[in-house]
């Protein structure tokens, strides 16, 4: 049966039109951002653990129980010839741990202990000691003044005015006096395991008395 043109046109358009009850078109959602890759290198782990440093420090204290026999429970050494670790830059400590573990730094006792540590434990121990407060030593006042003058001339450029070093250079402030004397003498005499041209240049003009004075000054600093 034929329909009048207006009715036929209406029916045709009605077939093409969406029903009144049809659901609205779905909105496109942006894809979820990809998860950041888990840290893998010691340096990446160090940066990640700094975000929740309290937990890392607590874990580091637990993991460092065997270090306490020599370096003290809080990183302040029990022995004058053993260095304080308290207050050191965590990146510097982590690098020294790596060197002992790889054999780049030679110490049979240290190498044996460090090899049993996981990468996470090495980072946690570094953070634990870096957050500990160093306990300065005592020294003769006149010797301290002489040492301060010598330090200002030869050492401040690298170790800083406060002698606290940085990520690559050791903190010397508050360090054990006997350990400092032995280490500086070895650099001067080129008898130590660690070879550093800048340290050899800086220590070359020092007499034994100069070294004792610099050590006296540094051990009293906070």
């Amino acid at each position: 049966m034929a329909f009048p043109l207006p009715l036929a046109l209406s029916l045709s358009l009605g077939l093409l039109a969406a029903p009144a009850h049809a659901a609205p078109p779905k909105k496109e959602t942006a894809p979820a951002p990809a998860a950041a890759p888990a840290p893998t290198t010691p340096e990446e782990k160090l940066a990640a653990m700094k975000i929740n440093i309290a937990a890392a420090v607590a874990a580091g204290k637990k993991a460092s129980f065997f270090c306490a026999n020599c370096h003290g429970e809080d990183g302040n050494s029990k022995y004058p010839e053993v260095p304080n670790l308290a207050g050191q830059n965590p990146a510097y400590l982590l690098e020294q741990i790596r060197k002992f573990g790889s054999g780049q730094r030679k110490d049979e006792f240290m190498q044996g202990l460090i090899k049993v540590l996981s990468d996470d434990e090495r980072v946690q121990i570094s953070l634990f000691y870096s957050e500990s407060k160093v306990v300065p030593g005592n020294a003769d006042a006149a010797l301290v003044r002489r040492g301060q003058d010598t330090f200002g001339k030869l050492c401040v450029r690298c170790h800083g005015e406060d002698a606290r070093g940085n990520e690559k250079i050791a903190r010397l402030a508050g360090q054990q006096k006997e350990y400092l004397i032995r280490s500086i003498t070895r650099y001067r005499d080129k008898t130590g395991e660690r070879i550093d041209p800048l340290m050899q240049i800086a220590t070359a003009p020092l007499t034994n008395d100069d070294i004792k004075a610099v050590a006296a000054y540094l051990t009293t600093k906070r």
Side-chain angles (χ1 to χ4, degrees):
M1 181 175 71
F3 294 100
L5 183 59
L7 180 58
L9 183 59
S10 298
L11 289 172
S12 176
L13 292 174
L15 290 175
L16 296 174
H21 62 274
K26 294 182 178 180
K27 294 181 178 180
E28 293 186 3
T29 57
T40 55
T41 67
E43 292 76 16
E44 290 173 349
K45 290 176 182 288
L46 179 61
M49 288 187 190
K50 282 182 177 179
I51 297 173
N52 188 9
I53 195 167
V57 167
K61 182 176 182 179
K62 183 178 180 181
S64 68
F65 71 94
F66 60 82
C67 309
N69 292 327
C70 296
H71 293 285
E73 293 183 1
D74 59 354
N76 285 284
S77 172
K78 294 181 176 180
Y79 306 103
E81 70 277 7
V82 175
N84 293 334
L85 302 182
Q88 286 285 356
N89 188 291
Y92 176 82
L93 283 176
L94 187 59
E95 175 64 5
Q96 302 315 303
I97 291 174
R98 183 198 67 77
K99 287 181 177 180
F100 277 119
S102 68
Q104 188 174 346
R105 287 191 64 176
K106 306 294 184 183
D107 186 295
E108 186 175 350
F109 183 72
M110 286 289 293
Q111 288 174 268
L113 292 177
I114 285 173
K115 284 182 179 179
V116 305
L117 295 175
S118 68
D119 286 345
D120 283 357
E121 287 172 330
R122 294 180 181 194
V123 175
Q124 290 160 351
I125 289 173
S126 298
L127 286 170
F128 165 62
Y129 283 132
S130 73
E131 291 294 299
S132 298
K133 303 299 182 184
V134 69
V135 179
N138 299 311
D140 177 75
L143 204 57
V144 168
R145 288 192 294 271
R146 175 179 172 180
Q148 182 176 11
D149 182 61
T150 303
F151 178 87
K153 293 176 180 176
L154 299 175
C155 316
V156 71
R157 180 178 299 179
C158 293
H159 290 278
E161 292 185 3
D162 56 5
R164 294 182 181 180
N166 54 41
E167 293 182 354
K168 297 183 179 296
I169 296 176
R171 174 191 175 123
L172 303 181
Q175 189 53 268
Q176 290 277 12
K177 182 168 55 178
E178 291 303 318
Y179 174 77
L180 287 169
I181 292 172
R182 185 180 63 176
S183 297
I184 297 171
T185 301
R186 285 178 172 178
Y187 276 120
R188 183 197 64 183
D189 297 346
K190 303 178 184 179
T191 57
E193 54 158 319
R194 288 187 284 177
I195 304 300
D196 187 312
L198 291 178
M199 281 296 295
Q200 290 173 350
I201 293 171
T203 58
L206 295 177
T207 66
N208 289 342
D209 287 342
D210 290 333
I211 292 175
K212 291 177 182 178
V214 169
Y217 167 65
L218 291 171
T219 197
T220 61
K221 286 187 63 65
R222 295 184 180 275

